[in-house]
C-alpha cells in the first residue's frame, strides 16, 4: 500500500529560525530519507520551494488561466512530501511520526489510489 | 432450542463477529456472515442438536456462507470470484480457532480498530456501539439525540476509511499500545458520560449507555489488564452506584451531600472498590484511577459530614499535576472549600474565573454562588446563580439552579 505524506509547515516559522536551526532540520530530513530508503519504504521524497514561488494553473473552457500563488490561502503551507510504501495505516503513521518536520508542522497521510487498476477493472457498460 | 440460540447470540455474537472480521478482512462481509451463521443455526440446531463448540460452528458456517455468497455474486462480477477463491485459500483451518489467545486478541482487535485515532471521535463512538456492543443505528441515534441517517453515515464513512486507508485489524504493541489505549478509554468514558447525564432525562426508552460503557470497561480489563482501564471501570462503577440517589422522586437533581446514602448501589460500590484497589496496587496513578479514588472517598463516607476532605484534596492535587485543566482546578477548589471553608474555595474559584477559561461554564458560576451563599453574601450569590442559570442547558440543572436562586433571599428587614 502506498501513502503520500504531505508535509505542512507554517513558512513563517522558518523565517523566525536561525540558520543553525534550519541546518539541523535539513540534515535530519535527509537522514530520515536515507533511513526510509534503506528500510525499503521510500518511493520518493521531495522538499518544495516557498509557496511564494507557486503558480496556479487552470484550464476552463479550453482557456488557460495562470495565477500567482497557491491554490488556497492557508495558515500552513505544503513544504514537501514523502511518498512511501507501508503495510497499512499504522505503519504509515509510524513513518510519518518520524518525519523531522512533524515536530514543527503537520503531516497529512493520504492513501494513494490505484487509478490504473481502477480503470482497467471498471465494469463493462 | 430457540432460547439457547438467543442466549448464544447474546453471549457470543460479538466474539463471532470479531473473529470473522479478521478472517474475512471486511466489516460488512463479517456482519452479513454473522447473520447468516445464526440463521443457519436456527434451521439446523433444532434438527441436529447443539454442536459441541457452537462458537467454532458459527465462525466456520459464517465463513462458508460468505464464500458461497461471493461465488454466487461472482457470476456478475469476476472480482468477487477472485476474492472468494482468495478467502478459501488463505483461511486458516477452523481447528486453529481453539487458540484462546488469538480469539481474545480478535475482540481486542475489534475494539482497537473501532477506536482508531484516525477515525473521528463521533465515528469511534458510533462504530464501537454498533460493532462491539451490537446496538442498532436507531438505538445509537436515539441515545445521542441525533438521526439514524447521521449515525448510519458516520458508520459507513468510518468503514470506508478503514478499508481505503487500510487501518489494520490489530492490537498495537510497545509504546503505541499505551497511546491507543488512552483513545479506547476515552471512547468508553464518553459513552458512560452520555448515559450518565442522560439518565436525568424523562426519556426511559433510550438504551442505557452507562450500562454499555460498564460492559465495555469490564470487557477491556478482562482482555487487557491495564491499570488505567481498571481505574476507569472503577470510576464508572462508583459514579453509577449513585445513579438512583442523584434524582429525586420528582425527577430533580440531588447534590452529593443531600443524597440518601442508603440508596447507593452497594454491589456497584464493592465492584468499583475492588477494581480501584487493583489499579492502585499497580502503582501507576493515571487520571481515571485518581478520579475513581476521589469517588471512592465519597462512597466510603458514612455521611456527608464524615467525608475525608483531606484525602480528597490530596487526590485532586495529584490530578491537577496530571491534568492541569480549569475544570479539574474548579473541582479541586470545591474540595478545598469543604476542607478549609468557603472563603478559601472562593479565592481559588475567583482565580480560575479570572483566567477567563471557564467564564461560560455554568458549573463554575453555580459553585461560586454556593460558596457566596454559605458566606451570607446573598446579593452576590444571587447574581452568580442568575449567571449560571443563563448558561445552563439541561432542564434538570436549570430547575435545580432556579430552586437555589429562590431559596437565596435577603434576610427579611426587621
Amino acid at each position: 500500500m502506498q501513502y503520500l505524506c504531505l508535509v505542512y509547515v507554517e513558512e513563517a516559522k522558518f523565517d523566525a529560525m536561525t540558520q543553525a536551526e534550519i541546518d539541523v532540520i535539513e540534515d535530519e530530513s535527509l537522514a530520515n530519507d536515507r533511513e526510509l530508503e534503506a528500510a525499503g519504504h521510500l518511493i520518493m521524497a521531495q522538499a518544495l520551494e516557498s509557496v511564494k514561488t507557486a503558480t496556479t494553473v487552470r484550464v476552463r473552457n479550453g482557456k488557460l488561466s495562470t495565477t500567482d500563488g497557491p491554490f488556497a490561502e492557508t495558515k500552513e503551507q505544503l513544504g514537501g512530501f514523502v511518498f512511501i510504501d507501508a503495510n497499512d495505516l499504522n505503519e504509515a503513521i509510524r513513518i510519518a511520526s518520524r518525519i523531522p518536520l512533524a515536530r514543527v508542522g503537520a503531516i497529512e497521510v493520504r492513501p494513494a489510489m490505484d487509478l490504473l487498476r481502477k480503470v482497467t477493472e471498471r465494469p463493462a457498460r | 432450542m430457540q432460547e439457547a440460540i438467543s442466549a448464544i447470540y447474546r453471549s457470543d455474537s460479538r466474539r463471532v463477529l470479531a473473529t470473522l472480521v479478521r478472517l474475512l478482512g471486511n466489516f460488512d462481509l463479517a456482519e452479513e456472515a454473522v447473520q447468516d451463521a445464526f440463521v443457519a443455526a436456527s434451521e439446523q440446531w433444532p434438527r441436529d442438536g447443539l454442536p459441541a463448540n457452537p462458537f467454532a460452528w458459527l465462525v466456520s458456517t459464517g465463513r462458508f456462507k460468505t464464500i458461497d455468497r461471493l461465488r454466487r455474486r461472482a457470476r456478475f462480477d469476476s472480482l468477487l470470484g477472485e476474492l472468494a477463491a482468495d478467502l478459501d485459500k488463505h483461511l486458516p483451518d477452523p481447528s486453529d480457532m481453539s487458540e484462546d489467545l488469538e480469539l481474545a486478541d480478535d475482540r481486542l482487535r475489534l475494539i482497537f480498530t473501532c477506536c482508531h485515532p484516525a477515525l473521528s471521535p463521533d465515528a469511534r463512538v458510533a462504530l464501537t456501539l454498533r460493532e462491539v456492543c451490537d446496538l442498532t443505528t436507531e438505538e445509537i441515534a436515539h441515545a445521542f439525540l441525533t438521526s439514524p441517517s447521521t449515525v448510519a453515515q458516520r458508520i459507513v464513512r468510518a468503514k470506508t476509511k478503514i478499508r481505503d486507508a487500510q487501518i489494520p485489524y490489530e492490537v498495537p504493541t510497545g509504546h503505541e499500545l499505551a497511546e491507543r489505549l488512552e483513545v479506547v478509554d476515552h471512547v468508553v468514558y464518553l459513552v458512560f458520560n452520555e448515559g450518565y447525564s442522560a439518565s436525568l432525562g424523562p426519556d426511559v426508552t433510550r438504551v442505557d449507555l452507562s450500562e454499555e460503557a460498564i460492559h465495555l470497561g469490564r470487557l477491556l480489563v478482562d482482555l487487557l489488564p491495564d491499570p488505567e482501564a481498571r481505574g476507569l471501570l472503577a470510576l464508572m462503577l462508583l459514579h453509577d452506584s449513585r445513579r438512583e440517589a442523584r434524582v429525586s422522586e420528582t425527577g430533580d437533581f440531588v447534590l452529593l451531600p443531600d443524597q440518601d446514602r442508603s440508596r447507593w448501589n452497594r454491589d456497584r460500590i464493592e465492584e468499583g472498590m475492588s477494581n480501584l484497589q487493583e489499579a492502585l496496587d499497580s502503582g501507576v496513578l493515571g487520571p481515571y484511577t485518581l478520579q475513581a479514588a476521589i469517588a471512592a472517598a465519597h462512597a466510603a463516607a458514612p455521611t456527608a459530614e464524615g467525608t475525608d476532605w483531606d484525602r480528597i484534596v490530596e487526590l485532586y492535587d495529584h490530578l491537577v499535576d496530571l491534568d492541569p485543566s480549569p475544570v479539574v482546578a474548579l473541582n479541586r477548589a470545591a474540595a478545598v472549600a469543604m476542607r478549609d471553608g468557603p472563603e478559601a474555595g472562593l479565592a481559588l474559584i475567583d482565580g480560575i474565573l479570572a483566567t477567563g477559561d471557564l467564564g461560560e461554564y455554568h458549573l463554575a458560576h453555580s459553585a461560586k454562588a454556593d460558596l457566596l451563599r454559605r458566606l451570607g453574601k446573598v446579593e452576590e450569590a444571587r447574581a452568580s446563580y442568575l449567571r449560571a442559570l443563563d448558561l445552563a442547558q439541561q432542564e434538570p440543572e436549570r430547575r435545580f439552579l432556579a430552586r437555589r436562586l429562590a431559596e437565596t433571599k435577603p434576610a427579611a428587614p426587621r
Side-chain angles (χ1 to χ4, degrees), chain A residues 1 3 86-91 93-94 97 109 111-112 117 121 123, chain B residues 79 82 116-118 161 163-168 170 172 175-176 180:
Chain A
M1 183 88 182
Y3 297 86
N87 274 327
D88 52 46
L89 185 65
N90 284 3
E91 189 170 53
I93 290 171
R94 230 168 281 144
S97 73
V109 179
R117 185 176 166 158
E121 284 171 0
Chain B
L79 263 181
E82 277 173 45
H116 199 282
K161 182 156 187 189
R163 189 191 63 217
D164 290 349
Q166 281 199 19
I167 292 179
E170 68 178 21
H175 73 93
E176 277 173 34
R180 295 279 305 279

Side-chain angles (χ1 to χ4, degrees), chain A residues 45-72:
Chain A
Q46 185 61 59
L48 298 174
E49 292 289 351
S50 158
V51 280
K52 289 175 200 134
T53 65
T55 306
T56 300
V57 175
R58 289 182 182 82
V59 178
R60 294 289 179 275
N61 302 322
K63 189 172 177 296
L64 169 70
S65 113
T66 311
T67 45
D68 169 48
F71 169 61

Side-chain angles (χ1 to χ4, degrees), chain B residues 102-402:
Chain B
E102 186 72 355
L103 296 179
D105 269 4
D106 280 339
R107 311 189 72 192
L108 273 180
R109 284 187 186 104
L110 186 62
I111 294 172
F112 276 104
T113 306
C114 291
C115 297
H116 199 282
L119 304 174
S120 75
D122 284 345
R124 286 175 217 154
V125 168
L127 200 59
T128 303
L129 290 173
R130 175 74 202 92
E131 307 298 333
V132 185
C133 301
D134 200 24
L135 299 189
T136 63
T137 34
E138 286 76 17
E139 286 170 330
I140 299 166
H142 205 65
F144 286 92
L145 305 176
T146 172
S147 70
S149 63
T150 305
V151 173
Q153 205 174 39
R154 271 179 206 156
I155 293 175
V156 167
R157 272 199 210 128
K159 285 180 181 167
T160 306
K161 182 156 187 189
I162 289 172
R163 189 191 63 217
D164 290 349
Q166 281 199 19
I167 292 179
Y169 198 56
E170 68 178 21
V171 179
T173 53
H175 73 93
E176 277 173 34
L177 179 62
E179 287 162 19
R180 295 279 305 279
L181 200 53
E182 233 173 80
V183 181
V184 174
D185 287 344
H186 190 62
V187 168
V188 175
Y189 193 49
L190 278 179
V191 172
F192 178 79
N193 274 338
E194 185 65 30
Y196 198 61
S197 57
S199 67
L200 282 172
D203 193 346
V204 287
T205 58
R206 284 172 75 175
V207 281
D208 189 344
L209 286 180
S210 316
E211 199 63 50
E212 294 297 337
I214 289 171
H215 161 76
L216 277 171
R218 288 201 190 108
L219 180 64
L220 206 56
V221 297
D222 276 349
L223 297 171
L224 195 82
D226 170 77
E228 260 295 84
R230 234 179 239 297
L232 170 60
L233 176 58
L235 175 65
M236 295 190 294
L237 288 163
L238 290 166
H239 276 191
D240 199 60
S241 73
R242 302 182 209 137
R243 173 200 287 251
E244 292 206 352
R246 69 202 268 276
V247 191
S248 75
E249 278 162 16
T250 52
D252 281 320
F253 193 58
V254 183
L255 281 184
L256 191 54
D258 305 325
Q259 289 176 12
D260 174 0
R261 292 178 184 229
S262 69
R263 290 178 71 199
W264 288 357
N265 182 330
R266 291 290 140 191
D267 292 341
R268 284 278 203 251
I269 292 179
E270 203 175 304
E271 191 187 346
M273 291 289 198
S274 77
N275 276 289
L276 173 62
Q277 195 54 51
E278 282 198 55
L280 291 172
D281 287 347
S282 74
V284 187
L285 293 186
Y288 292 120
T289 302
L290 283 170
Q291 291 176 75
I294 292 166
H298 288 299
T303 60
E305 295 72 36
T307 307
D308 184 352
W309 291 108
D310 279 336
R311 164 129 179 102
I312 291 177
V313 171
E314 185 194 332
L315 290 164
Y316 270 120
D317 289 342
H318 287 297
L319 191 57
V320 168
D321 283 345
L322 290 182
D323 176 8
S325 72
V327 173
V328 174
L330 177 68
N331 289 331
R332 182 181 171 276
V336 168
M338 293 308 292
R339 189 189 63 180
D340 303 337
E343 263 161 352
L346 197 57
L348 289 172
I349 292 179
D350 280 337
I352 297 162
L353 283 172
T355 64
D357 287 336
L358 294 186
E360 303 293 305
Y361 187 52
H362 66 282
L363 291 180
H365 295 285
S366 71
K368 180 173 173 172
D370 282 337
L371 297 182
L372 287 166
R373 190 172 60 108
R374 281 168 57 191
L375 288 168
K377 298 187 176 175
V378 173
E379 279 315 309
E380 288 171 69
R382 287 180 62 86
S384 284
Y385 279 128
L386 277 171
R387 182 89 183 99
L389 197 54
D390 246 11
L391 295 165
Q393 301 281 339
Q394 283 193 325
E395 207 36 55
E397 283 184 325
R398 295 182 51 83
R399 280 206 305 275
F400 171 81
L401 288 167

Side-chain angles (χ1 to χ4, degrees), chain B residues 20-31:
Chain B
L20 281 169
V21 174
R22 171 168 56 90
L23 297 178
L24 302 171
N26 179 303
F27 271 86
D28 291 327
L29 284 180
E31 270 170 51

Side-chain angles (χ1 to χ4, degrees), chain B residues 11-51:
Chain B
S11 63
D12 280 22
S13 77
R14 298 302 96 189
R15 291 172 56 210
V16 174
L17 175 76
T19 297
L20 281 169
V21 174
R22 171 168 56 90
L23 297 178
L24 302 171
N26 179 303
F27 271 86
D28 291 327
L29 284 180
E31 270 170 51
E32 282 180 77
V34 172
Q35 296 312 316
D36 287 351
F38 276 94
V39 168
S42 65
E43 285 162 9
Q44 292 178 35
W45 294 0
R47 192 182 63 221
D48 306 337
L50 204 66

Side-chain angles (χ1 to χ4, degrees), chain A residues 25 37 43 57 60 68 73 88 110 112 118:
Chain A
I25 289 178
E37 192 170 24
I43 298 168
V57 175
R60 294 289 179 275
D68 169 48
E73 288 284 343
D88 52 46
R110 296 277 294 268
K118 230 181 134 187

